[in-house]
Amino acid sequence: MTGRSCRRRKNITIVSVLFLVLAAILGPTPSSAATDWWTPTARPTPDAQINVTGAPFTGTNSAGEVRGFVDAHNHLFSNEAFGGRLICGKVFSESGVADALKDCPEHYPDGSLALFDYITHGGDGKHDPAGWPTFKDWPAYDSMTHQANYYAWVERAWRGGQRVLVNDLVTNGMICSIYPFKDRGCDEMTSIRLQAKLAYDLQGFVDKMYGGTGKGWFRIVTDSAQARQVIEQGKLAVVLGVETSEPFGCKQILDIGQCSKADIDKGLDELYGLGVRSMFLCHKFDNALCGVRFDEGGLGTAINVGQFLSTGTFWKTEACKGPQHDNPIGTAASEAEADLPSGVDVPSYDKAAQCNVRGLTDLGEYAVRGMMKRKMMLEIDHMSVKATGQVLDIFEAANYPGVLSSHSWMDLNWTERVYSLGGFVAQYMHGSEGFAAEAKRTNALRDKYGVGYGFGTDFNGIGDHPAPRGADAANKVTYPFKSVDGGSVIDKQTSGQRTFDFNTDGAAHVGLIPDWIEDIRLVGGQDVVDDLFRGAESYLDTWGATERHQASVNLANGRPATASSSESNPFTSYQPGRAVDGDDSSRWASDWSDDQWWQVDLGSTNLVSKVTLDWERAYGKSYRIELSTDGTNWRTVWSTTSGDGGLDTAKFAGTPARYVRVHGLGRGTDWGYSLYEVGVHSG
């Protein structure tokens, strides 16, 4: 019996060991391994430090929402743009940090040829060109010519709570052509393709540090569901956008567009295939698609010179028709004026005329509708007031939510129109005092629409960044500090021999985003930071709603129409049916007197809640929308006395109607009333 007992114990021991081995193989990894997934298995040595400890937050909040900050406007790879030598230094290099973070060769020995710095900022541009490891003079908050997006600095921003990064692929063919230092051609689409490729290369570069494809924290996403999954994993969702002056080759010369609808379709298809999901249609220069919002001061003069050299025309202004206005151009002198032909001068501008005469062109409208078909989001910053208003009219008529203002360059009077569509708004990365003040100014609107907030850093762009408030400033950043979620500790960032302190260095590079947000908390309060922390959810709400958008049915299309009168013309027809024939080049036109009406029979009673009116130049200033179920008894559901033409959208409570009438009471011109198309919708 004793022998059997010993054998039984031995068998049990062997089985126990086997179970332990299986448990080790099949069971969860030890907690030490499970909590350091954010630490790479290999990193280039030497390299910049991250200086953040603690686990990045994952999952969602109690309401099932993702959390995190949104940088809605950044240019990771603009060092590859403008001929390749305007921005010095790389985002990453297989050869390591010493190769990535070095100055342009023409900046040696003292920065005297850092032309872009003193063209845009004045001064002499002189600086110590040495990058790694000393970084004596760069990166700096007020330098536009040095890499601010080194990958390890981006990693620090992610570790500090950022969860969405919009990487706008950017260039400008004219700036490239006139800048004397370059190592490549100036074709804009060629540069865009290269920057897209490098974004995917960076993803692969980070993946290798973490053991293979898909394992890194830098994840390029192409739909909102994928972005949510990435953020729930605690990683950074990277969205590709485009900000360029002549997309698809759509420049204009002497006000004549140099592209076609076929070029636009081909270009949009190519960009979509590259993974681009948001874009600007114009930037800095008027092009064949739209007019731009002006730059100010010396930079404005320089850009206006570029506008002339690129298009043959300077900016043209007019008195604004509403409270919205473009930036004042200013008349500050600029070194760029030396590039103008002899006898040509930058014009002076009337201070009472601050609006660009150029709005959305026919090709521009085609591009807007092409983006809508592809469920892409449109950036309205940099568009003129006139162009922005036309875009918002189109989106409101279609209930299309895909509108973004990513860095404070639209007129702030449009903010509620953007929110009411379901769009997303971010503010430029101003200093903490200014940022907090502007955030509080629009706080009531965010509360009204239940949305979060974003920021657009524009790193590697042509704007300044937050200056240091000073070592003796009140409420200065004290290191180390905790991240907004409370799960990480953030200390001063060290790159080589230099340690950055936000109080004395300002926002010198993208890795100091967490420090800037802490400065906002100290200066502006927790509420502003809380709104920013809800930014990722709101951005994805806009993107998801854009993807799900379906064009509503036009109940009036092809239905019988009548009118009080129709203008007689021996060469064409202006009969009532022309406003519901689906052809936006044909139109109904009335006699030239005030009291006129146009109506359509929907064929049966429907619940009507929206009517869209696409006016020709002869528009209604005072008119009303009337509905009827029998064609005899009419009810006014919407009216205006301040119509200004273009595309109008009348929204009202859903009302049963078979007949819809547009009743003109006062003309906006000496002509009659004229409508290209009328749309009637149930929602």
Side-chain angles (χ1 to χ4, degrees):
M1 290 179 64
T2 303
R4 286 194 296 270
S5 175
C6 289
R7 284 194 298 271
R8 188 178 297 114
R9 288 194 197 96
K10 183 178 180 180
N11 290 340
I12 291 172
T13 302
I14 293 172
V15 170
S16 299
V17 170
L18 287 174
F19 273 122
L20 289 171
V21 171
L22 286 172
I25 295 173
L26 301 178
T29 55
S31 59
S32 60
T35 57
D36 64 358
W37 59 266
W38 57 90
T39 302
T41 56
R43 184 188 291 280
T45 303
D47 205 356
Q49 297 179 32
I50 308 303
N51 304 107
V52 179
T53 57
F57 57 87
T58 61
T60 58
N61 64 14
S62 59
E65 300 169 332
V66 296
R67 298 162 292 163
F69 306 120
V70 176
D71 183 351
H73 193 101
N74 198 332
H75 305 291
L76 293 186
F77 294 99
S78 63
N79 59 292
E80 303 291 347
F82 315 111
R85 297 266 277 275
L86 194 70
I87 309 294
C88 308
K90 304 174 186 177
V91 178
F92 72 104
S93 172
E94 295 287 352
S95 300
V97 64
D99 179 61
L101 295 179
K102 60 184 180 183
D103 215 337
C104 293
E106 59 273 9
H107 285 199
Y108 289 87
D110 63 358
S112 295
L113 293 180
L115 303 180
F116 193 63
D117 252 359
Y118 67 74
I119 285 175
T120 55
H121 275 71
D124 58 12
K126 289 187 177 182
H127 62 274
D128 181 348
W132 178 270
T134 60
F135 296 113
K136 179 180 177 183
D137 287 339
W138 64 271
Y141 75 92
D142 57 353
S143 171
M144 294 184 178
T145 58
H146 295 100
Q147 181 59 251
N149 281 316
Y150 184 59
Y151 93 91
W153 299 337
V154 177
E155 181 177 353
R156 188 173 191 271
W158 159 63
R159 290 287 301 277
Q162 185 175 319
R163 290 299 179 265
V164 176
L165 169 62
V166 180
N167 174 29
D168 282 319
L169 316 175
V170 65
T171 192
N172 182 293
M174 178 50 61
I175 292 176
C176 171
S177 68
I178 64 177
Y179 194 66
F181 306 111
K182 58 180 73 68
D183 54 25
R184 65 199 66 184
C186 296
D187 180 74
E188 292 192 353
M189 290 304 292
T190 299
S191 180
I192 294 301
R193 295 182 191 107
L194 173 61
Q195 292 176 53
K197 174 186 179 299
L198 288 171
Y200 288 98
D201 288 349
L202 173 57
Q203 179 174 260
F205 176 80
V206 174
D207 278 352
K208 280 198 298 185
M209 296 184 203
Y210 287 80
T213 302
K215 294 186 177 181
W217 53 268
F218 185 94
R219 314 302 324 152
I220 297 174
V221 295
T222 55
D223 61 59
S224 62
Q226 185 182 20
R228 283 189 182 279
Q229 184 180 37
V230 164
I231 296 171
E232 287 176 9
Q233 293 171 354
K235 300 181 179 183
L236 180 68
V238 180
V239 185
L240 299 186
V242 164
E243 182 184 43
T244 189
S245 291
E246 299 166 2
F248 333 125
C250 284
K251 70 182 299 176
Q252 58 95 1
I253 300 177
L254 298 176
D255 292 322
I256 299 174
Q258 304 296 301
C259 66
S260 65
K261 291 181 178 179
D263 294 327
I264 292 170
D265 282 328
K266 180 181 178 182
L268 285 173
D269 286 342
E270 180 182 7
L271 291 179
Y272 194 90
L274 291 173
V276 172
R277 294 298 180 267
S278 66
M279 70 175 295
F280 295 77
L281 288 183
C282 52
H283 175 242
K284 299 304 180 184
F285 302 156
D286 294 340
N287 62 22
L289 306 176
C290 51
V292 294
R293 186 174 175 85
F294 309 131
D295 281 86
E296 301 181 56
L299 179 58
T301 302
I303 298 297
N304 204 6
V305 169
Q307 155 99 8
F308 178 84
L309 296 175
S310 177
T311 70
T313 59
F314 290 106
W315 290 324
K316 299 175 185 177
T317 65
E318 63 183 5
C320 302
K321 294 181 172 61
Q324 297 80 23
H325 61 83
D326 295 318
N327 295 325
I329 297 174
T331 56
S334 169
E335 295 285 340
E337 292 177 89
D339 293 317
L340 289 172
S342 177
V344 177
D345 296 311
V346 177
S348 58
Y349 293 93
D350 185 350
K351 291 183 179 179
Q354 288 191 7
C355 282
N356 194 334
V357 301
R358 195 175 186 88
L360 194 67
T361 67
D362 290 342
L363 285 173
E365 181 173 345
Y366 185 82
V368 169
R369 296 191 184 279
M371 291 182 68
M372 293 169 69
K373 289 178 182 178
R374 293 164 177 81
K375 308 300 178 67
M376 298 173 73
M377 293 178 286
L378 175 64
E379 295 264 14
I380 57 174
D381 289 2
H382 288 294
M383 274 185 169
S384 67
V385 160
K386 182 179 289 188
T388 302
Q390 290 168 309
V391 165
L392 294 177
D393 286 344
I394 292 170
F395 282 6
E396 285 168 348
N399 290 335
Y400 191 76
V403 56
L404 304 172
S405 174
S406 62
H407 65 339
S408 304
W409 259 73
M410 69 160 182
D411 193 294
L412 295 176
N413 287 298
W414 295 127
T415 301
E416 183 158 18
R417 289 185 73 180
V418 172
Y419 281 148
S420 66
L421 280 165
F424 182 79
V425 173
Q427 185 191 158
Y428 189 82
M429 189 188 189
H430 296 296
S432 54
E433 298 101 326
F435 189 95
E438 173 56 25
K440 289 178 180 178
R441 190 189 71 82
T442 55
N443 183 62
L445 282 176
R446 288 193 297 281
D447 288 345
K448 177 180 178 180
Y449 291 95
V451 295
Y453 204 32
F455 52 83
T457 63
D458 203 20
F459 276 117
N460 288 0
I462 56 172
D464 284 337
H465 292 94
R469 290 201 296 123
D472 298 325
N475 297 328
K476 69 176 185 179
V477 175
T478 301
Y479 295 91
F481 59 88
K482 283 193 173 184
S483 60
V484 174
D485 66 292
S488 297
V489 176
I490 301 168
D491 210 338
K492 294 178 183 178
Q493 197 279 321
T494 297
S495 294
Q497 297 171 15
R498 183 174 174 185
T499 296
F500 290 88
D501 183 329
F502 188 82
N503 302 298
T504 54
D505 293 309
H509 60 68
V510 71
L512 297 176
I513 285 177
D515 313 54
W516 171 69
I517 289 173
E518 173 68 1
D519 201 42
I520 290 174
R521 185 185 71 81
L522 295 169
V523 170
Q526 187 65 39
D527 287 347
V528 179
V529 175
D530 289 344
D531 276 2
L532 288 171
F533 204 54
R534 289 194 290 269
E537 177 64 29
S538 287
Y539 181 89
L540 295 188
D541 282 347
T542 294
W543 192 2
T546 302
E547 293 168 326
R548 295 187 296 272
H549 177 264
Q550 294 182 350
S552 63
V553 175
N554 181 4
L555 302 172
N557 190 40
R559 300 304 306 170
T562 55
S564 56
S565 66
S566 296
E567 182 181 337
S568 178
N569 188 298
F571 303 105
T572 189
S573 169
Y574 295 126
Q575 293 300 304
R578 306 287 269 182
V580 286
D581 61 0
D583 182 354
D584 58 11
S585 65
S586 65
R587 60 189 175 93
W588 163 72
S590 75
D591 287 345
W592 296 9
S593 59
D594 281 336
D595 196 353
Q596 302 285 341
W597 55 264
W598 174 99
Q599 73 181 51
V600 62
D601 179 359
L602 303 180
S604 61
T605 298
N606 293 267
L607 193 66
V608 175
S609 60
K610 183 174 71 173
V611 174
T612 60
L613 308 170
D614 189 0
W615 293 101
E616 195 251 354
R617 286 180 297 170
Y619 64 92
K621 182 176 179 64
S622 176
Y623 66 93
R624 62 188 182 226
I625 305 297
E626 302 168 339
L627 304 182
S628 174
T629 56
D630 58 10
T632 301
N633 299 296
W634 295 92
R635 175 184 177 187
T636 298
V637 291
W638 189 91
S639 64
T640 184
T641 57
S642 57
D644 58 0
L647 182 61
D648 286 348
T649 299
K651 293 183 179 181
F652 42 86
T655 305
R658 172 173 173 169
Y659 302 91
V660 178
R661 175 185 286 178
V662 181
H663 195 154
L665 305 173
R667 294 167 293 154
T669 68
D670 291 335
W671 301 306
Y673 301 91
S674 186
L675 287 161
Y676 284 119
E677 284 291 310
V678 178
V680 178
H681 305 270
S682 60

